[in-house]
Amino acid sequence: MIQGANFIDGQWVPAVSGRTFQRHNPADPDELIGTFPASDAADVRAAVDALEKAAPEWAATPPERRAAILESAAAQLESRADTLIAELVAEEGKTKAEATMEVSRTPANLRFYAGEATRTTGSTYPSAGDNLVYTLREPVGIVAAITPWNFPFNIPSRKIGPALAAGNPVLYKPSEVTPLMGQRLVEALLDGGLPPAAIALVQGDGTAGAAVAADPRVAAVTFTGSTRVGRAIHREVGPERRVQLEMGGKNPVVVAADADLDGAAALIVKGAFGLSGQACTGTSRVVAVDAVHDALLERVIAKTETLQVGPGNQPGVNMGPLASADQLDKFLHYVQAGVAEGATLRCGGTTVGERGFFVRPTVFADALPTMRIVAEEVFGPLVAFQRAATLDEAVALANATEYGLSAAIVTSDLATATHFARQSRTGLVKINQPTTGMAMNAPFGGYKSSSTQTYKEQAGATLMEFYTLEKTVYLNPAV
């Protein structure tokens, strides 16, 4: 059992209040993973006090040194991979294959952002005579990273990595569902040579998160999580500070009449039920044209019923437990809502066994746009089939949501694919691929209620703009 701690002002410390919370294994709720600080505003104030003092020194650290630290932290994570994989399976409920993928990708992220430390440059502009006009890129200040539980290594590394590369101190608030993973990431950064004063870890629930967003000394808040919480953070941060929000999704797969139905069924099942359906880019809707709808539905049901549900550390398991009792309750609530509103439950929708938060992957048919299973983010292993008379209607149904994160189409026609890419009102478009699974070197972000749409994260030409301020300098060599 782990006795977790906050990391503030270079020290591992309990919460100021002394309060704690526990995290249990979602596959076996009797197994205690650890006890962690239940932080509040007092802990956040102490963390920001310390980071504020440390900011000038970290900003002045040469970029080559910042890059070397991130490279070293990546090596630290790789050296602990086996332990981290086992802990991630136990704490979150991922399968071993899913945990292995995340643990291997996170060091690659840190190495990618290490390169950004030496590539964050300004520009020069034409001017008259001997005058010089140029821009400088400077650290924005304290960056707060508030991260979710479904990718507790990968997503934090996509925020903390570029923040540190740009010379910003970081206030890190991981989800209370995966506090151990948050602590392990900070340990690797410190063992990689990060100055202790350059980072603070504050554990806890939304009370701590709200305090992080509310502190005016936090210059930038980068958040991934629900749209409801993201909107609250946006209101709190206001116009004077930076905010980057990646929020919910209701991601469709459109299936055209010329689609390979076996391939379509495979990618739908992967996108809908991988990670137990707990991914912001997960497939939650299928919009199929009449010509292929029924045959596709039967193929998806057949593949879904072969999935093996169980603890993620057992061989042959395709889908682990939901991450928490709250996630289980939410999933069952949406199953009941789907039935009550008239959708047809074709498979799944029930719990599995007497221990752990296990459920059967679920497929609904006859779903309509007004139904909650179509309109709201379930964030669980539930996919709803919608029928369209034409491809144009299918695209319209796919876009008929407040969200705009990821969308996919299955087609063998290039013109159909490119038309869909232009018409889809989403920040991510997948063609003959699942709605999940994004390249680490490409920009990530959504449209509409899925994102603030101000700064793309993960990669791209504008990645580092969120973490830096641009200053324009006018230089005249003599008066």
Side-chain angles (χ1 to χ4, degrees), residues 168-187:
N168 301 292
V170 172
L171 173 55
Y172 175 32
K173 210 298 285 183
S175 169
E176 70 274 20
V177 176
T178 49
L180 178 58
M181 297 300 96
Q183 181 164 321
R184 294 298 191 233
L185 182 55
V186 172
E187 289 170 350

Side-chain angles (χ1 to χ4, degrees), residues 41 56 61 88 105 164 242 250 270 277 293 352 428 457 472 477:
T61 301
L88 181 53
R105 178 162 175 165
L164 292 174
R242 296 267 177 98
K250 196 66 185 172
K270 181 178 181 180
H293 177 281
V352 178
L428 305 164
E457 71 168 24
T472 304

Side-chain angles (χ1 to χ4, degrees), residues 249-266:
K250 196 66 185 172
N251 312 297
V253 173
V254 171
V255 182
D258 63 353
D260 175 340
L261 296 188
D262 289 327

Side-chain angles (χ1 to χ4, degrees), residues 7-355:
F7 189 76
I8 297 173
D9 201 12
Q11 302 292 323
W12 293 101
V13 295
V16 172
S17 67
R19 291 192 296 270
T20 61
F21 68 95
Q22 295 181 337
R23 176 59 183 163
H24 294 260
N25 184 339
D28 180 5
D30 290 336
E31 179 187 338
L32 178 63
I33 300 295
T35 300
F36 299 87
S39 305
D40 58 23
D43 302 283
V44 171
R45 281 195 300 272
V48 177
D49 287 346
L51 293 172
E52 196 172 31
K53 295 175 185 176
E57 183 175 352
W58 180 241
T61 301
E64 296 84 358
R65 176 59 184 154
R66 298 198 299 266
I69 289 169
L70 291 174
E71 293 273 6
S72 179
Q76 290 290 332
L77 288 172
E78 287 173 334
S79 71
R80 308 168 193 190
D82 290 344
T83 298
L84 293 174
I85 290 166
E87 290 180 335
L88 181 53
V89 169
E91 185 173 48
E92 187 198 330
K94 275 185 167 73
T95 65
K96 186 175 181 181
E98 291 165 347
T100 299
M101 177 67 72
E102 181 168 1
V103 169
S104 65
R105 178 162 175 165
T106 301
N109 286 344
L110 293 183
R111 290 195 172 95
F112 180 83
Y113 299 125
E116 295 296 333
T118 57
R119 288 195 294 266
T120 304
T121 61
S123 302
T124 59
Y125 296 89
S127 57
D130 293 331
N131 294 340
L132 179 62
V133 180
Y134 64 98
T135 59
L136 299 173
R137 284 278 174 189
E138 299 178 337
V140 68
I142 297 172
V143 172
I146 304 176
T147 60
W149 48 262
N150 59 330
F151 288 98
F153 276 138
N154 181 38
I155 290 177
S157 71
R158 286 167 23 188
K159 300 176 183 293
I160 296 172
L164 292 174
N168 301 292
V170 172
L171 173 55
Y172 175 32
K173 210 298 285 183
S175 169
E176 70 274 20
V177 176
T178 49
L180 178 58
M181 297 300 96
Q183 181 164 321
R184 294 298 191 233
L185 182 55
V186 172
E187 289 170 350
L189 288 163
L190 294 170
D191 291 345
L194 182 67
I199 194 164
L201 170 69
V202 176
Q203 301 277 16
D205 60 13
T207 299
V212 169
D215 195 308
R217 297 171 295 171
V218 173
V221 179
T222 174
F223 166 83
T224 298
S226 73
T227 297
R228 177 185 61 83
V229 174
R231 285 170 174 163
I233 291 173
H234 194 272
R235 288 192 297 269
E236 185 64 56
V237 170
E240 298 85 7
R241 298 186 285 151
R242 296 267 177 98
V243 63
Q244 178 186 64
L245 306 176
E246 293 303 335
M247 301 179 284
K250 196 66 185 172
N251 312 297
V253 173
V254 171
V255 182
D258 63 353
D260 175 340
L261 296 188
D262 289 327
L267 68 84
I268 288 166
V269 169
K270 181 178 181 180
F273 305 130
L275 305 167
S276 304
Q278 301 170 129
C280 59
T281 55
T283 302
S284 58
R285 297 181 293 143
V286 176
V287 187
V289 297
D290 275 329
V292 299
H293 177 281
D294 294 349
L296 175 67
L297 176 60
E298 296 306 321
R299 283 169 167 80
V300 169
I301 291 169
K303 288 183 178 294
T304 300
E305 290 179 333
T306 67
L307 297 179
Q308 184 173 337
V309 178
N313 58 3
Q314 292 186 1
V317 168
N318 307 112
M319 195 177 97
L322 297 178
S324 66
D326 286 345
Q327 279 294 105
L328 175 61
D329 290 344
K330 181 181 179 183
F331 169 81
L332 294 174
H333 171 77
Y334 276 106
V335 172
Q336 293 167 2
V339 172
E341 293 181 351
T344 303
L345 179 60
R346 292 297 308 272
C347 71
T350 60
T351 57
V352 178
E354 297 181 357
R355 298 171 65 82

